[in-house]
Amino acid sequence: MNRLKDATSPYLLQHADNPVEWFPWGDEAFAEARRRDVPLLISVGYSACHWCHVMAHESFEDEGTAALMNEHFVNVKVDREERPDVDAVYMSATQAMNGHGGWPMTVFATPEGHPFYTGTYFPRQQFQHLLTGVSNAWNGDRAAVLQQGSKIVEALNERSALPSGPLPTPDTLARAVRGLAGTFDAERGGFGGAPKFPPSMALEFLLRHAAAQALGAAHDQGGTGQGATARPGAEEGAGATGEAAAAMAVRTLEAMARGGIYDQLAGGFARYSVDADWVVPHFEKMLYDNALLLRVYAHWWRSTGSALGRRVALETADWLLAEMRTPEGGFASALDADSEGVEGKFYAWTPEEIRQVLGEEDGDWAIGLFEVTGTFEHGTSVLQLLTDPDDPERFARVRSALLRARARRVRPGRDDKVVAAWNGLAVAALAEAGALFDRPDLVEAARRAATLVDELHLDGDRLLRTSRDGRAGPNAGVLEDYADLAEGLLTLYGVTGEVRWFRRAGALLDAILERFSDGAGGFYDTAEDAESLFQRPQDPTDNATPSGQFAAAGALLSYAALTGSARHREAAEAALGTVTVLADRHARFAGWGLAAAQAAVSGPVEVAVVGPADDPATAVLHRTALLSPVPGLVVALGEPGSGEVPLLEGRGTVGGEPAAYVCRGFTCRMPVTTRAALLAELAGGA
């Protein structure tokens, strides 16, 4: 019997009609394996995974393969997005045994859950041979199989945690920039060769570092505010790393925005590019990528005024609202890569299709503009926009016509589960974009998503990872859920001044300190009372999203800046010690930690804006603060007499006029009441 029909995961539901007798992850599967005395076959994937679909069609929908699976194994299907802890421990085993990992991930394990053989995608015939071979080994040489499982578990548990060091210094950050430059593709943007993934977290660090050095250089040349002191963290040759950081960030942001990885018709980014030129994407679109990139492009515009950065940020925000928002106000996890069983079919075009939609004259113009030269399969192309159109009105007309035509195609599937962590990333991005671009609808979308997670995903003081159709899932939140949601809520508070988000973020961060600490300055990825796996997962490095540890460090740092809490500041600094170890050789995998460390080195700078909410002068000061590129700047907004946020305590208006206080470490300079004066103070505080 297939037991997936009641699952909340769209990925598990995709397999609910398989002839495989699937179990969801849980005690029932382990008990059944012990009762039958057979191994577990654990298959891990996610709904937008192309090769997961391929293996499902080839093997899991095949009666003969399913019969082998059902006869010899207890088969467990896991959505890695619902259970990142399960995915993490078995991915560690897969990488240790094979030197690489990926999805679908195929794991054979003892009834106790100890892995003894692992792999990823297997074609049907090879998979059938593997099923028979593993079963024969289990029944014919059980002792060797059990010993293999024990050795793997022992080796994984003996792996020492990544060593930690002191809080990164300005020199650490400069070395990280030089390390990134060593793998930078100056011609194409990005780091390394194909495939290329959007380096969102590294880009955030590079923009912060460039801004810090530019502001510091202006300060050192005399652009000081009241009471300015020597810029903290200045180092020899800082200007050079600032220029290098800016150049790497801009080249990469431009290349991604103009390539096929970006949807030139509707906005939004695909998961990665299969080539080094950002031309042909792996077409799935993930919420986390687009939330992170929306924020980075908005920050690029904030730092430089880039028109391209503004356009891409707003188009990505509009795409999120149009394509990913759920009826309940949250944001769905992903769009599939496939439609009608063909990867990229929804997005690719032939010249003939474009001429059919636009006619000969506009069609030929669009074919040249979008580089429709057969860059993909079967004579189709993924649209690029390597130069800005010479006729914006014509471009708008052509783009609208192609969008209407594309809307008649079969759309990719959508995984509409709401993941707490990724919605936290979306809340932060949309709230900031709404404030920076004067789009109240984006701020409201962030508020609605935050409300959904706050009201639906909390079980007492415990955060649940997912929900779907307004119903919370059963799985406990992991570190990234608490940390990314806290980051989003602190950002939303800074934009709206609504204290409820500040309070909730504080509660989430306290839960991290109490339930996730490893006792040595770092954090485990699961809480102390979470389900016990053969290994307690802990990985401080970034992957497709910020690591839970670095996300926690960044949120803790911001919260400490708003509250003056030494406890939260010290926890943030301890968690950032790992960055010092990674900065030289593995900076690409510590981007979010480096960005948080840049904020720590810069203070971070704190701005308290005090004034009546309906006074336009309050809004001017608030917007001026939010537009500052000072790394990690935190903003507190409140009415005179507000006391719930400590940064606002004892700070009032000046002569009845709204005022802004620029502070570092809760030591504030004299309040200012005009935009020009606040800009000068922020320049002096960099």
Side-chain angles (χ1 to χ4, degrees):
M1 179 179 69
N2 188 319
R3 295 165 174 80
L4 301 183
K5 64 181 179 63
D6 295 323
T8 58
S9 159
Y11 175 63
L12 267 58
L13 290 172
Q14 288 174 356
H15 295 81
D17 295 325
N18 293 166
V20 177
E21 295 176 358
W22 291 115
F23 284 76
W25 177 271
D27 292 340
E28 185 182 2
F30 286 86
E32 180 68 4
R34 288 191 294 269
R35 186 189 70 79
R36 289 179 52 195
D37 191 29
V38 296
L40 294 159
L41 193 166
I42 304 167
S43 176
V44 185
Y46 59 103
S47 69
C49 165
H50 172 71
W51 288 103
C52 299
H53 297 328
V54 172
M55 191 164 178
H57 295 321
E58 288 181 347
S59 294
F60 303 148
E61 295 172 7
D62 176 66
E63 294 284 351
T65 307
L68 284 171
M69 294 172 66
N70 297 336
E71 179 181 358
H72 299 297
F73 304 94
V74 168
N75 305 293
V76 180
K77 200 30 120 163
V78 178
D79 182 343
R80 65 174 294 260
E81 297 174 349
E82 280 200 336
R83 292 301 304 261
D85 52 339
V86 173
D87 177 62
V89 296
Y90 287 114
M91 185 58 71
S92 293
T94 300
Q95 290 171 334
M97 297 175 73
N98 299 282
H100 61 85
W103 299 277
M105 177 167 53
T106 305
V107 178
F108 296 91
T110 69
E112 292 71 41
H114 295 178
F116 59 84
Y117 189 88
T118 64
T120 53
Y121 162 76
F122 294 99
R124 181 194 298 168
Q125 187 172 10
Q126 184 181 351
F127 188 51
Q128 289 179 347
H129 289 317
L130 178 63
L131 294 171
T132 302
V134 170
S135 177
N136 289 340
W138 178 260
N139 292 311
D141 196 1
R142 179 79 58 90
V145 170
L146 294 175
Q147 184 179 28
Q148 171 80 347
S150 296
K151 283 183 176 179
I152 293 168
V153 171
E154 183 179 348
L156 291 172
N157 284 324
E158 284 180 354
R159 281 184 174 180
S160 58
L162 194 66
S164 186
L167 178 70
T169 65
D171 184 59
T172 307
L173 302 177
R175 293 200 316 270
V177 173
R178 290 191 284 269
L180 287 168
T183 60
F184 179 63
D185 185 339
E187 180 182 352
R188 305 174 182 89
F191 301 93
K196 274 188 177 168
F197 292 79
S200 307
M201 289 74 79
L203 291 172
E204 181 66 32
F205 162 61
L206 292 171
L207 288 177
R208 288 189 183 190
H209 186 77
Q213 302 310 324
L215 289 164
H219 177 276
D220 295 342
Q221 293 167 11
T224 60
Q226 294 176 355
T229 59
R231 177 170 56 94
E235 74 277 350
E236 291 291 330
T241 60
E243 292 169 6
M248 287 188 283
V250 169
R251 180 70 192 102
T252 303
L253 289 162
E254 287 180 340
M256 292 193 302
R258 296 196 179 282
I261 192 174
Y262 183 67
D263 184 348
Q264 303 296 343
L265 296 184
F269 289 85
R271 174 77 274 266
Y272 63 87
S273 171
V274 300
D275 57 87
D277 294 289
W278 307 104
V279 176
V280 178
H282 185 44
F283 290 89
E284 64 195 38
K285 286 182 175 179
M286 313 302 293
L287 174 61
Y288 51 76
D289 282 322
N290 285 281
L292 289 164
L293 288 166
L294 164 56
R295 202 173 185 191
V296 168
Y297 276 91
H299 290 173
W300 180 28
W301 172 81
R302 184 175 64 184
S303 294
T304 68
S306 165
L308 180 60
R310 177 187 176 91
R311 175 174 69 80
V312 171
L314 285 171
E315 288 175 357
T316 302
D318 287 336
W319 174 80
L320 282 173
L321 268 58
E323 299 284 346
M324 302 299 278
R325 193 153 47 167
T326 69
E328 297 77 27
F331 289 90
S333 296
L335 292 185
D336 207 334
D338 304 357
S339 53
E340 299 183 270
V342 179
E343 184 180 9
K345 186 174 183 179
F346 183 74
Y347 300 100
W349 296 81
T350 64
E352 292 73 21
E353 288 172 329
I354 288 180
R355 291 192 186 97
Q356 186 176 6
V357 172
L358 300 176
E360 289 293 327
E361 187 175 348
D362 277 351
D364 287 342
W365 183 77
I367 287 166
L369 183 66
F370 286 122
E371 304 287 324
V372 184
T373 57
T375 54
F376 190 44
E377 299 170 345
H378 311 300
T380 64
S381 291
V382 184
L383 304 187
Q384 303 174 73
L385 191 63
L386 301 184
T387 59
D388 289 329
D390 56 10
D391 187 340
E393 291 185 6
R394 186 183 194 185
F395 177 70
R397 184 179 71 248
V398 162
R399 187 183 187 193
S400 295
L402 292 174
L403 264 175
R404 288 193 299 272
R406 196 176 79 173
R408 293 191 288 270
R409 298 176 175 179
V410 176
R411 303 184 70 84
R414 187 174 84 155
D415 185 326
D416 56 359
K417 70 175 177 292
V418 172
V419 176
W422 306 345
N423 273 256
L425 297 175
V427 167
L430 289 166
E432 277 200 329
L436 295 179
F437 302 123
D438 195 21
R439 284 279 302 271
D441 60 317
L442 301 184
V443 178
E444 178 57 27
R447 184 185 286 112
R448 283 194 64 198
T451 300
L452 175 73
V453 178
D454 186 44
E455 295 180 351
L456 186 60
H457 285 239
L458 281 160
D459 182 11
D461 63 346
R462 308 301 169 108
L463 184 62
L464 297 171
R465 180 161 173 84
T466 63
S467 67
R468 185 167 183 256
D469 296 332
R471 182 164 63 99
N475 299 308
V478 296
L479 178 61
E480 71 164 2
D481 293 302
Y482 286 79
D484 288 339
L485 183 57
E487 168 80 14
L489 298 183
L490 288 173
T491 304
L492 185 59
Y493 162 69
V495 166
T496 65
E498 295 165 2
V499 178
R500 67 175 288 195
W501 309 121
F502 168 80
R503 287 197 299 264
R504 175 59 69 196
L508 293 168
L509 293 172
D510 285 344
I512 288 174
L513 296 181
E514 292 162 9
R515 299 174 51 225
F516 290 84
S517 173
D518 69 358
F523 297 104
Y524 289 108
D525 291 326
T526 55
E528 61 186 4
D529 56 352
E531 178 186 353
S532 179
L533 304 173
F534 71 82
Q535 180 187 29
R536 189 174 179 186
Q538 182 179 30
D539 185 358
T541 59
D542 292 336
N543 199 289
T545 56
S547 78
Q549 177 158 319
F550 293 154
L556 286 163
L557 187 68
S558 296
Y559 188 75
L562 291 167
T563 62
S565 167
R567 177 185 181 224
H568 292 84
R569 172 83 190 202
E570 290 165 2
E573 291 181 352
L576 290 173
T578 306
V579 175
T580 304
V581 179
L582 294 170
D584 288 327
R585 297 180 60 187
H586 304 290
R588 285 171 61 186
F589 305 104
W592 203 258
L594 287 163
Q598 186 70 67
V601 166
S602 297
V605 175
E606 309 140 4
V607 180
V609 178
V610 182
D614 59 354
D615 190 326
T618 305
V620 168
L621 292 172
H622 183 221
R623 178 167 172 75
T624 300
L626 293 173
L627 284 168
S628 170
V630 172
L633 180 142
V634 297
V635 178
L637 173 67
E639 299 267 356
S642 303
E644 194 163 353
V645 179
L647 186 59
L648 296 173
E649 288 180 8
R651 299 186 171 98
T653 57
V654 175
E657 294 293 320
Y661 298 75
V662 176
C663 321
R664 181 184 282 108
F666 262 58
T667 299
C668 300
R669 298 198 290 273
M670 294 295 292
V672 296
T673 58
T674 67
R675 177 179 181 274
L678 178 54
L679 287 172
E681 288 296 305
L682 289 167

PDB file of all heavy atoms in Angstrom, residues 324-342:
ATOM      1  N   MET A 324       4.166  33.438  -7.409  1.00  0.00           N
ATOM      2  CA  MET A 324       4.526  32.626  -6.253  1.00  0.00           C
ATOM      3  C   MET A 324       3.653  32.861  -5.023  1.00  0.00           C
ATOM      4  O   MET A 324       3.747  32.091  -4.059  1.00  0.00           O
ATOM      5  CB  MET A 324       5.996  32.886  -5.884  1.00  0.00           C
ATOM      6  CG  MET A 324       6.977  32.592  -7.011  1.00  0.00           C
ATOM      7  SD  MET A 324       6.964  30.869  -7.545  1.00  0.00           S
ATOM      8  CE  MET A 324       8.032  30.138  -6.294  1.00  0.00           C
ATOM      9  N   ARG A 325       2.831  33.869  -5.021  1.00  0.00           N
ATOM     10  CA  ARG A 325       2.025  34.129  -3.839  1.00  0.00           C
ATOM     11  C   ARG A 325       0.892  33.115  -3.736  1.00  0.00           C
ATOM     12  O   ARG A 325       0.228  32.797  -4.731  1.00  0.00           O
ATOM     13  CB  ARG A 325       1.472  35.555  -3.874  1.00  0.00           C
ATOM     14  CG  ARG A 325       0.882  35.999  -2.550  1.00  0.00           C
ATOM     15  CD  ARG A 325       0.934  37.497  -2.349  1.00  0.00           C
ATOM     16  NE  ARG A 325       0.479  38.260  -3.502  1.00  0.00           N
ATOM     17  CZ  ARG A 325       0.208  39.557  -3.447  1.00  0.00           C
ATOM     18  NH1 ARG A 325       0.360  40.231  -2.309  1.00  0.00           N
ATOM     19  NH2 ARG A 325      -0.186  40.200  -4.523  1.00  0.00           N
ATOM     20  N   THR A 326       0.653  32.619  -2.540  1.00  0.00           N
ATOM     21  CA  THR A 326      -0.422  31.663  -2.304  1.00  0.00           C
ATOM     22  C   THR A 326      -1.680  32.406  -1.856  1.00  0.00           C
ATOM     23  O   THR A 326      -1.604  33.557  -1.416  1.00  0.00           O
ATOM     24  CB  THR A 326      -0.020  30.652  -1.225  1.00  0.00           C
ATOM     25  OG1 THR A 326       0.054  31.320   0.051  1.00  0.00           O
ATOM     26  CG2 THR A 326       1.324  30.008  -1.535  1.00  0.00           C
ATOM     27  N   PRO A 327      -2.849  31.763  -1.954  1.00  0.00           N
ATOM     28  CA  PRO A 327      -4.082  32.445  -1.518  1.00  0.00           C
ATOM     29  C   PRO A 327      -4.035  32.909  -0.073  1.00  0.00           C
ATOM     30  O   PRO A 327      -4.707  33.883   0.288  1.00  0.00           O
ATOM     31  CB  PRO A 327      -5.160  31.368  -1.728  1.00  0.00           C
ATOM     32  CG  PRO A 327      -4.607  30.485  -2.802  1.00  0.00           C
ATOM     33  CD  PRO A 327      -3.133  30.451  -2.564  1.00  0.00           C
ATOM     34  N   GLU A 328      -3.252  32.227   0.754  1.00  0.00           N
ATOM     35  CA  GLU A 328      -3.172  32.588   2.171  1.00  0.00           C
ATOM     36  C   GLU A 328      -2.212  33.746   2.430  1.00  0.00           C
ATOM     37  O   GLU A 328      -2.116  34.231   3.563  1.00  0.00           O
ATOM     38  CB  GLU A 328      -2.723  31.385   3.001  1.00  0.00           C
ATOM     39  CG  GLU A 328      -3.680  30.216   2.960  1.00  0.00           C
ATOM     40  CD  GLU A 328      -3.591  29.409   1.665  1.00  0.00           C
ATOM     41  OE1 GLU A 328      -2.501  29.407   1.037  1.00  0.00           O
ATOM     42  OE2 GLU A 328      -4.617  28.806   1.262  1.00  0.00           O
ATOM     43  N   GLY A 329      -1.466  34.191   1.402  1.00  0.00           N
ATOM     44  CA  GLY A 329      -0.567  35.321   1.564  1.00  0.00           C
ATOM     45  C   GLY A 329       0.890  34.950   1.707  1.00  0.00           C
ATOM     46  O   GLY A 329       1.747  35.834   1.798  1.00  0.00           O
ATOM     47  N   GLY A 330       1.198  33.664   1.749  1.00  0.00           N
ATOM     48  CA  GLY A 330       2.592  33.245   1.782  1.00  0.00           C
ATOM     49  C   GLY A 330       3.145  33.130   0.377  1.00  0.00           C
ATOM     50  O   GLY A 330       2.511  33.530  -0.610  1.00  0.00           O
ATOM     51  N   PHE A 331       4.341  32.548   0.281  1.00  0.00           N
ATOM     52  CA  PHE A 331       4.983  32.378  -1.012  1.00  0.00           C
ATOM     53  C   PHE A 331       5.353  30.917  -1.216  1.00  0.00           C
ATOM     54  O   PHE A 331       5.932  30.277  -0.329  1.00  0.00           O
ATOM     55  CB  PHE A 331       6.211  33.282  -1.132  1.00  0.00           C
ATOM     56  CG  PHE A 331       5.841  34.727  -1.262  1.00  0.00           C
ATOM     57  CD1 PHE A 331       5.707  35.515  -0.136  1.00  0.00           C
ATOM     58  CD2 PHE A 331       5.563  35.273  -2.499  1.00  0.00           C
ATOM     59  CE1 PHE A 331       5.322  36.851  -0.244  1.00  0.00           C
ATOM     60  CE2 PHE A 331       5.184  36.601  -2.623  1.00  0.00           C
ATOM     61  CZ  PHE A 331       5.058  37.385  -1.492  1.00  0.00           C
ATOM     62  N   ALA A 332       4.992  30.405  -2.394  1.00  0.00           N
ATOM     63  CA  ALA A 332       5.231  29.013  -2.745  1.00  0.00           C
ATOM     64  C   ALA A 332       6.723  28.750  -2.910  1.00  0.00           C
ATOM     65  O   ALA A 332       7.524  29.667  -3.128  1.00  0.00           O
ATOM     66  CB  ALA A 332       4.486  28.663  -4.032  1.00  0.00           C
ATOM     67  N   SER A 333       7.090  27.491  -2.848  1.00  0.00           N
ATOM     68  CA  SER A 333       8.504  27.116  -2.816  1.00  0.00           C
ATOM     69  C   SER A 333       9.189  27.167  -4.173  1.00  0.00           C
ATOM     70  O   SER A 333      10.345  27.590  -4.263  1.00  0.00           O
ATOM     71  CB  SER A 333       8.641  25.694  -2.256  1.00  0.00           C
ATOM     72  OG  SER A 333       8.209  25.648  -0.929  1.00  0.00           O
ATOM     73  N   ALA A 334       8.494  26.718  -5.231  1.00  0.00           N
ATOM     74  CA  ALA A 334       9.223  26.541  -6.490  1.00  0.00           C
ATOM     75  C   ALA A 334       8.267  26.391  -7.661  1.00  0.00           C
ATOM     76  O   ALA A 334       7.112  25.983  -7.496  1.00  0.00           O
ATOM     77  CB  ALA A 334      10.116  25.298  -6.401  1.00  0.00           C
ATOM     78  N   LEU A 335       8.781  26.719  -8.845  1.00  0.00           N
ATOM     79  CA  LEU A 335       8.165  26.328 -10.106  1.00  0.00           C
ATOM     80  C   LEU A 335       9.023  25.242 -10.735  1.00  0.00           C
ATOM     81  O   LEU A 335      10.256  25.300 -10.701  1.00  0.00           O
ATOM     82  CB  LEU A 335       8.069  27.515 -11.071  1.00  0.00           C
ATOM     83  CG  LEU A 335       7.124  28.655 -10.717  1.00  0.00           C
ATOM     84  CD1 LEU A 335       7.086  29.658 -11.858  1.00  0.00           C
ATOM     85  CD2 LEU A 335       5.720  28.136 -10.421  1.00  0.00           C
ATOM     86  N   ASP A 336       8.365  24.278 -11.342  1.00  0.00           N
ATOM     87  CA  ASP A 336       9.046  23.145 -11.947  1.00  0.00           C
ATOM     88  C   ASP A 336       9.878  23.578 -13.148  1.00  0.00           C
ATOM     89  O   ASP A 336       9.628  24.623 -13.766  1.00  0.00           O
ATOM     90  CB  ASP A 336       7.990  22.127 -12.393  1.00  0.00           C
ATOM     91  CG  ASP A 336       8.511  20.715 -12.421  1.00  0.00           C
ATOM     92  OD1 ASP A 336       9.724  20.544 -12.593  1.00  0.00           O
ATOM     93  OD2 ASP A 336       7.694  19.786 -12.277  1.00  0.00           O
ATOM     94  N   ALA A 337      10.864  22.769 -13.484  1.00  0.00           N
ATOM     95  CA  ALA A 337      11.654  22.994 -14.700  1.00  0.00           C
ATOM     96  C   ALA A 337      10.913  22.513 -15.941  1.00  0.00           C
ATOM     97  O   ALA A 337      11.168  22.998 -17.041  1.00  0.00           O
ATOM     98  CB  ALA A 337      12.993  22.262 -14.591  1.00  0.00           C
ATOM     99  N   ASP A 338      10.014  21.550 -15.781  1.00  0.00           N
ATOM    100  CA  ASP A 338       9.375  20.871 -16.908  1.00  0.00           C
ATOM    101  C   ASP A 338       7.949  21.357 -17.117  1.00  0.00           C
ATOM    102  O   ASP A 338       7.265  21.789 -16.183  1.00  0.00           O
ATOM    103  CB  ASP A 338       9.322  19.360 -16.659  1.00  0.00           C
ATOM    104  CG  ASP A 338      10.682  18.750 -16.394  1.00  0.00           C
ATOM    105  OD1 ASP A 338      11.681  19.476 -16.461  1.00  0.00           O
ATOM    106  OD2 ASP A 338      10.729  17.542 -16.116  1.00  0.00           O
ATOM    107  N   SER A 339       7.504  21.258 -18.337  1.00  0.00           N
ATOM    108  CA  SER A 339       6.074  21.295 -18.651  1.00  0.00           C
ATOM    109  C   SER A 339       5.849  20.316 -19.790  1.00  0.00           C
ATOM    110  O   SER A 339       6.694  20.195 -20.685  1.00  0.00           O
ATOM    111  CB  SER A 339       5.604  22.699 -19.024  1.00  0.00           C
ATOM    112  OG  SER A 339       6.388  23.247 -20.055  1.00  0.00           O
ATOM    113  N   GLU A 340       4.739  19.591 -19.719  1.00  0.00           N
ATOM    114  CA  GLU A 340       4.451  18.510 -20.669  1.00  0.00           C
ATOM    115  C   GLU A 340       5.610  17.515 -20.737  1.00  0.00           C
ATOM    116  O   GLU A 340       5.895  16.940 -21.789  1.00  0.00           O
ATOM    117  CB  GLU A 340       4.147  19.076 -22.058  1.00  0.00           C
ATOM    118  CG  GLU A 340       2.927  19.984 -22.083  1.00  0.00           C
ATOM    119  CD  GLU A 340       2.599  20.465 -23.490  1.00  0.00           C
ATOM    120  OE1 GLU A 340       3.131  21.514 -23.870  1.00  0.00           O
ATOM    121  OE2 GLU A 340       1.820  19.780 -24.191  1.00  0.00           O
ATOM    122  N   GLY A 341       6.299  17.350 -19.593  1.00  0.00           N
ATOM    123  CA  GLY A 341       7.379  16.386 -19.510  1.00  0.00           C
ATOM    124  C   GLY A 341       8.669  16.802 -20.184  1.00  0.00           C
ATOM    125  O   GLY A 341       9.595  15.996 -20.299  1.00  0.00           O
ATOM    126  N   VAL A 342       8.763  18.053 -20.625  1.00  0.00           N
ATOM    127  CA  VAL A 342       9.945  18.533 -21.344  1.00  0.00           C
ATOM    128  C   VAL A 342      10.539  19.705 -20.581  1.00  0.00           C
ATOM    129  O   VAL A 342       9.855  20.701 -20.325  1.00  0.00           O
ATOM    130  CB  VAL A 342       9.596  18.966 -22.779  1.00  0.00           C
ATOM    131  CG1 VAL A 342      10.837  19.485 -23.494  1.00  0.00           C
ATOM    132  CG2 VAL A 342       8.971  17.809 -23.541  1.00  0.00           C
TER     133      VAL A 342
END
